[in-house]
Amino acid sequence: MKYNFAVFILSHNRANSMTTIDALKRSNYTGRYYVVIDNEDKEIETYLKLYGNKVIIFDKTEYSKHIDSCDLIDDRCAIVYARNKCFDLAEEMGIDYFL
């Protein structure tokens, strides 16, 4: 591949309904992809069974300490944590570009 690229698929409690992966396969995408979930997801074991080493789990509570969700309710239900985590993951993994 010309560019150091990967797709991060953000998910929560939908391990059996990963339409993004299906769309990538239908589009003949052959590059790297990862499923990014938080440690509060109830379906972690299913993700790991279905997607193995493509699953990246992050500690949502710990990460939320570094993110301003612009919300007065502290229930961590926003996708902002996973989206921001992708930038850190890309840097940690040496990925220059990601979707």
Side-chain angles (χ1 to χ4, degrees):
M1 183 170 255
K2 185 175 180 182
Y3 300 103
N4 188 6
F5 177 81
V7 175
F8 291 123
I9 303 165
L10 312 180
S11 186
H12 188 82
N13 292 335
R14 62 182 184 105
N16 290 306
S17 179
M18 298 295 293
T19 57
T20 305
I21 293 173
D22 297 336
L24 290 172
K25 289 178 181 177
R26 281 194 312 274
S27 300
N28 296 318
Y29 177 75
T30 59
R32 295 185 294 170
Y33 70 88
Y34 301 96
V35 179
V36 179
I37 63 173
D38 61 70
N39 62 333
E40 297 174 7
D41 195 307
K42 296 173 185 165
E43 300 181 8
I44 290 175
E45 293 305 318
T46 306
Y47 283 105
L48 293 172
K49 181 180 175 186
L50 294 171
Y51 309 109
N53 64 354
K54 295 188 181 301
V55 178
I56 299 173
I57 305 168
F58 73 98
D59 187 329
K60 191 175 192 179
T61 302
E62 183 60 33
Y63 201 74
S64 71
K65 296 175 185 176
H66 308 284
I67 301 296
D68 183 357
S69 66
C70 298
D71 195 348
L72 298 175
I73 300 171
D74 188 29
D75 62 2
R76 295 183 312 281
C77 285
I79 192 68
V80 67
Y81 309 109
R83 287 194 181 159
N84 285 335
K85 181 64 177 176
C86 288
F87 288 91
D88 295 338
L89 290 171
E91 185 175 344
E92 292 167 13
M93 299 169 77
I95 295 170
D96 297 318
Y97 306 96
F98 67 90
L99 174 68

